[in-house]
Amino acid sequence: MPERRADRAAAATAAPVRRQRRRRPVLVALIATVGSLLGIATVVAVVAATFVGGLARSFDEHTEVLTEPFPTGARPSPTGSAEDILLIGSDSRAALDPDGDHTAGGRSDTLMLAHVPADRRHVYLVSIMRDSWVEIPGHGTAKINAAYSWGGIPLTVQTVEQLLDVRIDHVAEIDFAGFASMTDALGGVTVQSSTDFTARGHHFTQGPNHLDGQQALAFVRERYAFSDGDQARVRNQQAFLRGVFQQALSRGTLTDPGRIGDLVTAMSEHLAVDPGLDVPTIARLGWSLRHLDADDLVTVTMPIDGSGTSPDGQSFVRLNELERRALSQSLRSDDLQRWVDSHGR
């Protein structure tokens, strides 16, 4: 009996040791797994921070900051939490002169107002045709793109603010070479063309067209191939920006850090912005719009009311005054969707 008791006592004291040994590998594995996950998360966080920081540095290093881009004097009041950003596409005419008008100082060939409503449910691009006949402060009536030639960005901003009675919060100017670079950085952009046409050695078919940089440049600049000239060019510019938006939001772009980096570099090298449109501001705006997809980009054009000829022989387009006032009111009240619904896209 004493021997059996001794054996049982020995077994009793040994059993906990064996149970502890069975549990220890599981505990060690759990700790190791958690540690590994935390380590991976830390590495990912560091890599992400480094990548984002690199993008910010690239943007800051390459993007030109405009000096005094806004007009002095009285200006419209801000529209609450909505944001209105004037987008200007231009060139110096030194290297690019597609229309042969040899305008001194260059002209703003593309004018779009990007309206970001307070609810952040859409982004609206309102195109203003370059030949729109408007009042330019200090110069009388003329085509709106002449404002850029006469007074640069400040006069262009002042002209648009007077036209729409809405305050421009930010301004961004991109030269047309940037359209090509941005397209190539995205690996090409697919646009929807409303018709077949040929421009600058490139042929485009009705329907989807996948464009490289040079094709994109020809696509957004052509107007002589169309019977409605500048109206068709505006439609193509809107189609191009929609294609850029779709491609930029695609999985192939968002999951490719190299492509994102190339896009930021390509864009920033041809971009000039007001001092307030810095990386933190862009990041905050982008985060507020993170839920949007390509269908939430709404493109419209300021309605026109025929064409005319100025006393000195310039052909221009006449804006529809009633619709101009209605559009202005919708922008000021941050209710542009109602205006869009009543006019169609």
Side-chain angles (χ1 to χ4, degrees):
M1 281 296 290
E3 294 179 355
R4 291 179 181 175
R5 288 175 181 169
D7 291 340
R8 285 197 296 268
T13 57
V17 174
R18 286 195 295 269
R19 286 196 294 270
Q20 289 174 3
R21 287 176 179 171
R22 284 197 297 269
R23 288 176 177 175
R24 187 172 295 163
V26 176
L27 182 60
V28 171
L30 179 60
I31 293 173
T33 301
V34 172
S36 297
L37 290 175
L38 289 174
I40 292 171
T42 302
V43 171
V44 169
V46 170
V47 171
T50 302
F51 175 64
V52 172
L55 293 182
R57 285 192 299 274
S58 177
F59 184 87
D60 285 337
E61 289 173 2
H62 295 99
T63 301
E64 178 186 352
V65 177
L66 299 166
T67 57
E68 300 181 354
F70 297 107
T72 58
R75 300 178 61 198
S77 300
T79 312
S81 299
E83 297 274 355
D84 288 296
I85 305 169
L86 186 62
L87 308 177
I88 303 173
S90 65
D91 62 65
S92 66
R93 300 285 175 182
L96 297 171
D97 187 21
D99 299 324
D101 56 11
H102 304 286
T103 304
R107 288 184 186 265
S108 54
D109 282 348
T110 301
L111 271 181
M112 291 184 180
L113 181 70
H115 178 75
V116 183
D119 63 15
R120 300 302 196 255
R121 295 176 61 183
H122 296 88
V123 172
Y124 300 90
L125 290 179
V126 182
S127 294
I128 306 171
M129 286 196 290
R130 58 172 250 165
D131 290 342
S132 299
W133 196 249
V134 302
E135 182 73 24
I136 298 179
H139 295 271
T141 53
K143 295 180 182 180
I144 194 168
N145 66 338
Y148 185 90
S149 175
W150 291 336
I153 290 175
L155 185 57
T156 302
V157 170
Q158 186 178 15
T159 301
V160 174
E161 286 188 337
Q162 178 176 280
L163 177 68
L164 293 173
D165 192 22
V166 63
R167 188 183 185 92
I168 303 300
D169 300 294
H170 295 291
V171 60
E173 179 187 19
I174 185 169
D175 67 53
F176 277 99
F179 282 64
S181 297
M182 187 166 53
T183 301
D184 288 334
L186 284 169
V189 169
T190 298
V191 301
Q192 293 287 335
S193 176
S194 59
T195 186
D196 294 348
F197 69 97
T198 299
R200 298 169 176 82
H202 303 286
H203 183 70
F204 306 96
T205 59
Q206 184 177 7
N209 295 258
H210 191 73
L211 312 181
D212 62 21
Q214 290 303 311
Q215 291 170 325
L217 195 56
F219 185 79
V220 300
R221 303 211 65 166
E222 183 58 29
R223 66 170 177 165
Y224 293 119
F226 312 107
S227 59
D228 54 355
D230 204 41
Q231 296 178 61
R233 174 157 64 176
V234 165
R235 288 196 300 270
N236 285 347
Q237 290 170 351
Q238 292 172 344
F240 170 74
L241 290 178
R242 183 175 296 280
V244 168
F245 199 62
Q246 289 173 330
Q247 184 64 22
L249 292 178
S250 69
R251 185 179 298 274
T253 298
L254 295 177
T255 59
D256 187 341
R259 179 170 290 181
I260 294 174
D262 290 345
L263 175 60
V264 171
T265 300
M267 179 180 66
S268 59
E269 287 179 342
H270 302 277
L271 187 67
V273 298
D274 69 87
L277 198 58
D278 54 14
V279 171
T281 299
I282 294 172
R284 284 194 297 271
L285 183 60
W287 179 253
S288 72
L289 298 171
R290 64 191 180 279
H291 59 282
L292 299 188
D293 58 33
D295 290 336
D296 297 316
L297 178 67
V298 181
T299 56
V300 296
T301 305
M302 282 195 68
I304 63 172
D305 189 20
S307 59
T309 304
S310 67
D312 61 354
Q314 297 182 68
S315 296
F316 62 82
V317 294
R318 186 178 293 107
L319 295 176
N320 185 309
E321 183 60 22
L322 182 62
E323 293 299 342
R324 183 196 65 79
R325 290 197 296 267
L327 176 60
S328 172
Q329 177 59 41
S330 295
L331 285 167
R332 290 199 309 274
S333 61
D334 194 21
D335 189 21
L336 192 53
Q337 188 59 46
R338 180 178 299 181
W339 187 91
V340 171
D341 290 341
S342 65
H343 291 76
R345 297 193 180 190

